[in-house]
Amino acid sequence: MLPVRRPRLLIRLFRAATSSVLATAISQVTLIGLLWWGAIPALASAVAFVAGAIPNFFLSRRWAWGRRGTPPVKSELMPYFGVIALTGLASVGLTTLAGWLTEPLNLSGLVRIIVLDTVFLSGYAIVFIMKFALLDRLVFRHETRTREARSKT
């Protein structure tokens, strides 16, 4: 059986960006909904980040990096959670900071949501390249097959 080859860097980048856009859309719906219902920015952005991070792992793992089967905990899941935690802290931190900075301005509900959402999206854009590099070079760097693929041979 021939070894599974990883897609080239630009293809992986495009695919990771596409899956990240989907995850961002999920996060956006979650963030805006929670802010609309009156959640504090720190809680809303944290829940929104997690809501997008979970499907993003499975989609990007399969599509961008060509991994199948059960993800190994030690070599993929734990490093992924580490990378995601760092990028999540950046997004949540920026949104929380924006919440604190806009609090004295007494912005109306919709304007405040737009400001916080813009900051949340900016945080995603800023950390995407860093996240991609860490995932590509740290989490999914090995060309080893997953457990499911190994068990079939």
Side-chain angles (χ1 to χ4, degrees):
M1 184 167 164
L2 295 173
V4 177
R5 293 186 48 151
R6 291 172 51 184
R8 296 189 192 280
L9 181 64
L10 288 178
I11 294 170
R12 283 193 314 270
L13 179 61
F14 173 77
R15 289 177 176 180
T18 303
S19 66
S20 190
V21 166
L22 177 61
T24 300
I26 293 167
S27 293
Q28 286 297 288
V29 169
T30 305
L31 178 74
I32 291 169
L34 289 172
L35 289 173
W36 186 260
W37 286 315
I40 61 172
L43 174 65
S45 58
V47 171
F49 188 83
V50 170
I54 292 170
N56 190 41
F57 172 76
F58 293 104
L59 182 60
S60 63
R61 179 179 185 270
R62 165 100 184 202
W63 194 46
W65 282 278
R67 300 297 175 93
R68 290 176 171 68
T70 305
V73 173
K74 188 175 177 182
S75 64
E76 284 186 13
L77 281 177
M78 296 309 290
Y80 177 80
F81 287 135
V83 169
I84 292 305
L86 288 174
T87 57
L89 286 174
S91 292
V92 171
L94 288 170
T95 308
T96 302
L97 179 63
W100 288 337
L101 293 174
T102 59
E103 190 72 32
L105 300 176
N106 292 322
L107 299 174
S108 69
L110 183 60
V111 172
R112 186 163 190 256
I113 289 171
I114 291 170
V115 168
L116 294 174
D117 187 50
T118 301
V119 172
F120 186 76
L121 278 175
S122 299
Y124 264 57
I126 290 168
V127 300
F128 172 75
I129 296 298
M130 178 186 74
K131 180 176 80 170
F132 174 79
L134 289 171
L135 290 175
D136 193 57
R137 301 298 176 209
L138 175 67
V139 178
F140 300 116
R141 73 182 182 278
H142 300 296
E143 297 206 30
T144 58
R145 294 175 287 167
T146 58
R147 281 186 230 152
E148 182 179 287
R150 275 186 250 142
S151 65
K152 290 181 180 178
T153 58

